[in-house]
Amino acid sequence: MARRSARFPLDEELGADFWLELCGDPSPSSRDKFLFLTIDEFGRVGPGGFSHASIARRLGVTVAMINHYFGSRNGLISEAAYLVYSKYMEAMVRAVDDAPRDPESRLRAWINTQISFAVSAAGWQLVLNYPTLSLEDPIEFTVLFRKRISAKFNANMARLSLLIKDVQSGSVTQTSIDEDNLDIAVYMTDTKLVTLSSTIAMSTLGAAVWAAGSHAPSAESDEAKKLGDMLLAQHANYLVDLVKSQA
């Protein structure tokens, strides 16, 4: 159990209802409280505004407890980033599974969820996409989590490839792909499909960054804001048309 300091009283707002809404558990462990508060705070303010000391104060403990649980501030952020990415992948799978059982709807669900998740966790986009530039010790992140994140990424790209093939064939594949059953060598043999999947993914990532409000040139553009939803919808339409044209 984390030892509280009289200097840092526990934030009274952090009751059972708060934790239930934040993480689905009214009484998470002390370690998980650090992770979920970090995920929430970092997602809103990003690396520039995040304060691990503030997280400790809200929990009524000293900063030393972060070192106890995670080794360092960077260790806390690295593990939180891994959890965010895991939730992101789960959201992508769930969105496709919940979409209407036609190929285009399923591909659109993949595209739209990548964008909507980026908006909901805007502060994490820099860490997930550019850990070398945004983390104090990217080597620690690489050693602990990069391999696991890469496995999830590869499975996600393979699932996208199946969605693309389904649009081109007009059928829905029943195969489920995850990190455990993915044969990456088989996926990589179809160079044309890998190229198309990468194009869709990179284009959607760009749209996600733009939608999350992180694109400096258009952030203050009233015209861009007004056209935002329409442009994102058209973006998805163009990608679906691109997939069809490559059949």
Side-chain angles (χ1 to χ4, degrees):
M1 178 180 294
R3 184 176 61 189
R4 291 181 187 156
S5 166
R7 186 180 176 187
F8 301 131
L10 180 67
D11 189 329
E12 295 298 330
E13 294 182 358
L14 307 185
D17 290 342
F18 173 87
W19 294 115
L20 184 63
E21 181 178 354
L22 186 64
C23 65
D25 182 352
S27 183
S29 68
S30 296
R31 190 179 191 281
D32 283 350
K33 287 179 179 179
F34 271 108
L35 282 171
F36 289 118
L37 271 184
T38 295
I39 289 171
D40 179 61
E41 181 74 9
F42 201 104
R44 287 186 289 105
V45 303
F50 175 72
S51 169
H52 65 302
S54 174
I55 297 296
R57 282 195 296 271
R58 292 188 69 189
L59 291 173
V61 300
T62 65
V63 173
M65 293 309 300
I66 292 176
N67 296 334
H68 170 71
Y69 286 127
F70 306 98
S72 65
R73 174 184 184 273
N74 197 71
L76 168 63
I77 295 173
S78 294
E79 186 167 341
Y82 173 71
L83 287 179
V84 170
Y85 193 79
S86 297
K87 290 181 178 296
Y88 166 39
M89 292 297 98
E90 291 169 4
M92 300 283 277
V93 171
R94 187 165 56 249
V96 172
D97 287 345
D98 291 345
R101 300 294 292 176
D102 68 86
E104 285 192 29
S105 293
R106 287 159 60 83
L107 178 57
R108 289 177 188 277
W110 189 98
I111 294 169
N112 292 335
T113 303
Q114 179 168 350
I115 295 171
S116 63
F117 194 93
V119 172
S120 70
W124 285 105
Q125 299 311 304
L126 185 60
V127 172
L128 293 176
N129 294 300
Y130 306 103
T132 302
L133 298 176
S134 57
L135 292 175
E136 296 171 359
D137 184 2
I139 294 177
E140 181 179 13
F141 175 78
T142 297
V143 170
L144 294 175
F145 300 107
R146 174 60 85 184
K147 186 174 181 180
R148 282 186 274 176
I149 284 182
S150 294
K152 291 180 181 295
F153 170 81
N154 289 339
N156 184 49
M157 290 301 294
R159 287 191 292 267
L160 173 59
S161 294
L162 276 185
L163 294 174
I164 289 172
K165 290 173 68 175
D166 284 355
V167 169
Q168 293 177 336
S169 68
S171 61
V172 173
T173 301
Q174 302 301 321
T175 304
S176 178
I177 296 177
D178 57 32
E179 306 95 278
D180 296 324
N181 65 16
L182 171 64
D183 187 338
I184 191 66
V186 173
Y187 162 68
M188 293 298 293
T189 56
D190 191 336
T191 305
K192 182 179 179 180
L193 181 59
V194 169
T195 301
L196 182 55
S197 299
S198 299
T199 298
I200 299 297
M202 288 188 288
S203 178
T204 305
L205 176 60
V209 171
W210 184 78
S214 301
H215 182 246
S218 64
E220 299 303 320
S221 168
D222 290 335
E223 292 77 12
K225 291 176 182 177
K226 291 177 183 178
L227 292 173
D229 291 341
M230 184 274 289
L231 292 174
L232 290 174
Q234 283 298 101
H235 171 77
N237 290 337
Y238 287 141
L239 293 183
V240 171
D241 288 344
L242 173 63
V243 168
K244 290 179 177 178
S245 72
Q246 299 298 308

